Amino acid sequence: MARQAKQSRPQLVCILADNSGSMAGEKAQAATQGVQEMVMECQARGPAGPDRSYFKVLLIRFGDTAVVDSQCDMTPVRKIDPNQIQIMGDGGQTNITEALEITRDRLRTYLQELESHPERSEHPIPLVMLFSDGAHNKGGAPQPVAEEIKQLTLDGEPVVIAAAGVSVGREQPDDRTLRAIACAECYVPITNAQALTQFISSVGSSGVSRAKDVAQVIKQVQA
């Protein structure tokens, strides 16, 4: 089936936010601002009305464990209060794997439901966006789970993962692992707080879903 995704069909954006202790302070503040700005930008898209959201948001914070934000649980974006979204950096260690596992399971169900939709070709492919400053992953290897996500498709088009490695301050991220998690050309190293905010807000609200288009948005962030 030829895909002709329409903006009027909501795109699911999955945000995997590092909430480990090393994110506390400037990085957590920048991440909070980025997610809030992304939500507000997404809310501004489309015709007026609370039921006309062009995006849905799944926000998963991960520290020792991964937790789905109850307000952003695949929720239409206009039903989200951006001021209630906080990344605190108080979650202990870094467990990227569990966050990816939750994302994989949610996406499987979501895509299976779309398969039976009579106008599924009009629905945008979901986008997964992850950021982390962690050098040590507490869970098992995250790469195999990331590959399972990237193998999920709708009408033959795969889900894309964009990732940012945050090296603001003393903590240095595991660039090799994060590059392996991300799709080709969809990884970006972040060296200042402002760039983290811009990555989250720009990529998350871009409305694109193909790897080459996500890569272009990331290049604009880096410019």
Side-chain angles (χ1 to χ4, degrees), residues 49-99:
D51 298 323
R52 304 297 296 275
S53 295
Y54 278 9
F55 295 85
K56 293 181 178 180
V57 178
L58 173 64
L59 173 59
I60 302 172
R61 298 180 186 85
F62 60 90
D64 287 326
T65 60
V67 179
V68 175
D69 186 301
S70 59
Q71 185 195 195
C72 303
D73 189 357
M74 304 179 78
T75 308
V77 73
R78 287 185 178 171
K79 295 184 178 180
I80 297 171
D81 180 359
N83 293 320
Q84 296 299 313
I85 297 173
Q86 297 288 330
I87 310 298
M88 302 300 294
D90 60 357
Q93 300 183 49
T94 305
N95 194 339
I96 296 174
T97 305
E98 187 174 350

Side-chain angles (χ1 to χ4, degrees), residues 13-18 23 58-60 62 94-101 103 127-134 137 142-143 146 149 160-166 173-174 177-182 186-190 196 199-200 203-204 214 218:
V13 180
C14 306
I15 307 167
L16 281 60
D18 189 343
M23 284 288 293
L58 173 64
L59 173 59
I60 302 172
F62 60 90
T94 305
N95 194 339
I96 296 174
T97 305
E98 187 174 350
L100 288 168
E101 289 171 341
T103 304
L127 174 65
V128 178
M129 182 172 57
L130 179 152
F131 59 88
S132 177
D133 71 345
N137 183 52
Q143 297 94 324
I149 293 173
V160 170
I161 302 177
V166 185
D174 183 349
T177 296
L178 292 171
R179 285 182 187 276
I181 288 171
C186 293
Y187 173 76
V188 57
I190 298 292
L196 176 58
F199 167 78
I200 298 167
V203 176
V214 174
I218 287 175

